[in-house]
Amino acid sequence: MIHAIEGLRAHIRATAELLHKRPDNDDLKRELYAMVSAVNVMEIYEYGSHVTKYNDIIEGG
């Protein structure tokens, strides 16, 4: 599960970079939100809480 979480986090970071270049792209926003939601579920299952925050990603954190 840890490898899946890390792989999804990498994809989230790449999508966030694209979104910063194209901030009006609603499809990217939806994709990013869905991926963060999915990784949150995996993190809760694996670690007991989620650590990936959508707003932090959008703000560049």
Side-chain angles (χ1 to χ4, degrees):
M1 177 74 75
I2 294 171
H3 294 299
I5 291 170
E6 290 304 318
L8 191 51
R9 283 181 183 160
H11 193 65
I12 287 168
R13 285 189 295 273
T15 303
E17 287 179 27
L18 283 174
L19 186 58
H20 287 293
K21 294 176 185 174
R22 300 182 228 157
D24 295 332
N25 190 320
D26 290 335
D27 290 335
L28 281 177
K29 288 177 186 176
R30 281 190 290 274
E31 181 180 342
L32 184 60
Y33 190 80
M35 287 188 293
V36 171
S37 296
V39 84
N40 287 167
V41 170
M42 290 190 283
E43 289 170 343
I44 290 168
Y45 179 81
E46 186 69 26
Y47 308 122
S49 65
H50 69 87
V51 295
T52 302
K53 308 276 192 278
Y54 180 79
N55 288 336
D56 292 347
I57 292 167
I58 294 300
E59 294 169 4

